[in-house]
Amino acid sequence: MKKGVPSVKGNGRIIDKLSHWLPVINASISGYLRCGKGKFDGQKNSEYLVKLKAASEGDILLFLTEIERFNSELVKATKTL
């Protein structure tokens, strides 16, 4: 996986979606990881990621796919607790 967030240029539609949904996904995952509790909703994160990936391509699509994999692994881990 590449480090950092890929740059987004010239696609206002995906920029709007990313700026809205990525902070929601980040808050869900990071809040859970920091505190071990919180409002982690892996299913909802998956729904948001599907919408984002549908409007994405290139490096952004790869980035979102990595987030989706991480979210899936975290869902599996929380079910075993």
Side-chain angles (χ1 to χ4, degrees), residues 3 8-9 17 20-21 23 25 30 38-39 41 44 49 54 56 59-60 63 66 73-74 77:
K3 291 189 178 192
V8 181
K9 296 178 183 174
K17 288 182 180 217
H20 180 75
W21 294 115
I25 295 166
S30 66
K39 301 200 181 233
D41 187 341
K44 196 57 105 172
L49 286 162
S56 300
D59 285 345
I60 293 294
F63 175 73
E66 288 297 321
E73 290 299 319
L74 189 55

Side-chain angles (χ1 to χ4, degrees), residues 10-78:
N11 187 340
R13 182 172 161 229
I14 189 61
I15 291 171
D16 288 344
K17 288 182 180 217
L18 288 169
S19 66
H20 180 75
W21 294 115
L22 279 182
V24 173
I25 295 166
N26 181 54
S28 171
I29 292 172
S30 66
Y32 181 81
L33 291 175
R34 273 190 307 231
C35 304
K37 56 186 175 187
K39 301 200 181 233
F40 174 69
D41 187 341
Q43 179 62 34
K44 196 57 105 172
N45 288 348
S46 293
E47 292 171 18
Y48 299 151
L49 286 162
V50 167
K51 291 177 186 178
L52 287 171
K53 286 175 62 181
S56 300
E57 58 187 29
D59 285 345
I60 293 294
L61 183 57
L62 293 173
F63 175 73
L64 293 170
T65 300
E66 288 297 321
I67 294 172
E68 186 176 50
R69 284 185 196 135
F70 182 80
N71 184 70
S72 295
E73 290 299 319
L74 189 55
V75 167
K76 289 177 194 172
T78 57

